[in-house]
Amino acid sequence: MRRGRGYKWVDRELARMDPDTDWERMISLYVGHRVPEFALAMMVYPGTMRMMRPGHGSATLAHTGKLETRPRRRFEDGNAFLMAWMVDGLSSPAGRGAAERLNRMHLAIARTTPHLPGNFDDVDDFVYPLVLLATSADRLQTSLGLPGTSANMKVAWHRWAQTLFRLLERESGPLAGEAFPEDWDAMTEFALKFDSRPYEATESGHRVATAMMEHFAERWFPFPLREFGRDLTRYLAGEQVCRLHRIGSLTRRREHAVRLFLKSAFLAQRLLPDYRRPLPERLRQNRRRSKSSPGERSSRRTG
């Protein structure tokens, strides 16, 4: 792919591509050169809270303990999978290797937790995270009254999620022959139905969700703004998730403040230049800076 140049170059490159054949390159370009690390965190932490609404999901996360005891390491490890799948691409050795590694991890955990049967065997528990990764940005932006994902990117995101789904395995075998939502609209419908199911509160869900919320606030906001960071997590997770995991709720005024912040951030994103350095490189630099200077938040956009 020809390297884009100029102030806003990603859209020009995407416009030249066919989502039916170039979807992998489109996802790589968009995520690699449009997405800041903060946006990744806003997706991963609240998204994980949504994914673990089924009690067996939160029980597994609580059993591994990583989100509670080493949340930053958990975030970095998760980022490594996402970068392999989104930026390197699902057809690349890195992308396929990451899928194989995740399959081995899931199977190893399943084998060592006989007291948590079936935690890696429900097909919907594999469909929902991929649907959420593909559609969450669109759902958030449209809920704020902003333009959502373009038609071509919707096709690309669906192809990406469907392809990754077929690379994964559940405890009882590969998912390649299982059904996945047939298009973008089917993915959004699946997410709405999954979100509307009745779920039971668990102590493990409360512990893990609280740990994730606290880490997000501490990682991204200075001390005087930590409560705003928690409110941002609550807003992104949604009222139902907050109630289920017992992590607090938002007043109307605090919700308005969060919405104003998010709308301002998205509007700024439309005005700021596209990143020249890909997201994996920026993540590595930010990780090094955080180790040497905890106050450093992010690299310069045009660096």
Side-chain angles (χ1 to χ4, degrees):
M1 180 180 68
R2 183 171 63 83
R3 178 61 66 96
R5 298 295 179 188
Y7 186 76
K8 301 291 284 187
W9 57 275
V10 170
D11 282 342
R12 292 198 303 272
E13 295 290 331
L14 292 173
R16 297 186 178 100
M17 300 181 191
D18 180 347
D20 288 320
T21 56
D22 300 325
W23 58 269
E24 192 170 13
R25 294 165 59 209
M26 292 174 70
I27 298 301
S28 177
L29 180 63
Y30 181 86
V31 174
H33 296 278
R34 271 281 177 82
V35 176
E37 183 181 4
F38 181 60
L40 199 63
M42 286 200 305
M43 176 180 65
V44 169
Y45 285 102
T48 303
M49 293 182 189
R50 287 174 173 269
M51 295 172 201
M52 68 181 197
R53 278 172 292 178
H56 55 261
S58 59
T60 299
L61 289 170
H63 171 79
T64 61
K66 203 169 183 180
L67 277 168
E68 294 180 81
T69 60
R70 293 176 292 166
R72 182 174 182 81
R73 177 63 182 274
R74 176 63 171 75
F75 179 59
E76 291 173 353
D77 290 348
N79 286 348
F81 282 109
L82 294 179
M83 293 306 97
W85 293 330
M86 293 179 174
V87 181
D88 294 317
L90 295 174
S91 65
S92 71
R96 290 186 174 274
E100 293 170 1
R101 189 164 64 254
L102 184 66
N103 290 335
R104 290 195 299 270
M105 289 172 56
H106 283 173
L107 185 58
I109 294 172
R111 286 173 173 170
T112 57
T113 55
H115 58 294
L116 299 174
N119 284 19
F120 297 102
D121 214 45
D122 189 330
V123 174
D124 286 357
D125 288 344
F126 289 85
V127 175
Y128 184 72
L130 299 179
V131 166
L132 200 61
L133 287 168
T135 65
S136 59
D138 177 79
R139 291 175 66 181
L140 176 58
Q141 291 178 69
T142 54
S143 74
L144 295 169
L146 299 172
T149 304
S150 69
N152 279 357
M153 284 302 298
K154 286 180 179 180
V155 174
W157 274 116
H158 173 258
R159 294 290 297 274
W160 175 86
Q162 184 181 60
T163 302
L164 178 53
F165 175 78
R166 290 171 177 165
L167 293 177
L168 299 178
E169 297 182 7
R170 55 178 175 158
E171 190 174 350
S172 58
L175 290 167
E178 301 293 338
F180 189 84
E182 62 184 11
D183 55 22
W184 175 273
D185 291 339
M187 287 200 303
T188 58
E189 182 180 357
F190 177 91
L192 291 173
K193 289 181 177 179
F194 191 96
D195 290 341
S196 65
R197 293 176 184 176
Y199 297 103
E200 294 185 6
T202 63
E203 182 58 30
S204 58
H206 169 68
R207 291 202 326 268
V208 175
T210 299
M212 283 191 289
M213 180 175 66
E214 292 299 325
H215 176 68
F216 178 82
E218 291 173 7
R219 168 68 180 85
W220 292 101
F221 294 88
F223 180 76
L225 297 176
R226 294 276 168 79
E227 190 57 36
F228 180 81
R230 298 183 187 98
D231 283 346
L232 177 58
T233 312
R234 294 180 181 112
Y235 181 85
L236 294 170
E239 182 181 355
Q240 182 210 52
V241 175
C242 292
R243 187 167 57 250
L244 179 72
H245 295 317
R246 307 191 309 281
I247 58 172
S249 59
L250 291 172
T251 64
R252 182 168 297 183
R253 189 172 77 170
R254 286 156 57 192
E255 180 180 343
H256 177 74
V258 171
R259 287 177 61 87
L260 181 62
F261 169 82
L262 288 170
K263 289 185 74 169
S264 300
F266 279 120
L267 291 172
Q269 177 78 7
R270 294 178 184 274
L271 297 175
L272 291 169
D274 295 327
Y275 293 102
R276 292 202 300 265
R277 288 177 300 141
L279 180 55
E281 182 180 329
R282 288 179 273 127
L283 290 173
R284 287 192 294 270
Q285 182 181 42
N286 290 349
R287 188 160 60 246
R288 290 193 298 268
R289 286 185 174 184
S290 295
K291 289 178 180 178
S292 60
S293 179
E296 187 68 49
R297 293 295 179 210
S298 64
S299 61
R300 293 183 182 272
R301 175 176 288 265
T302 58

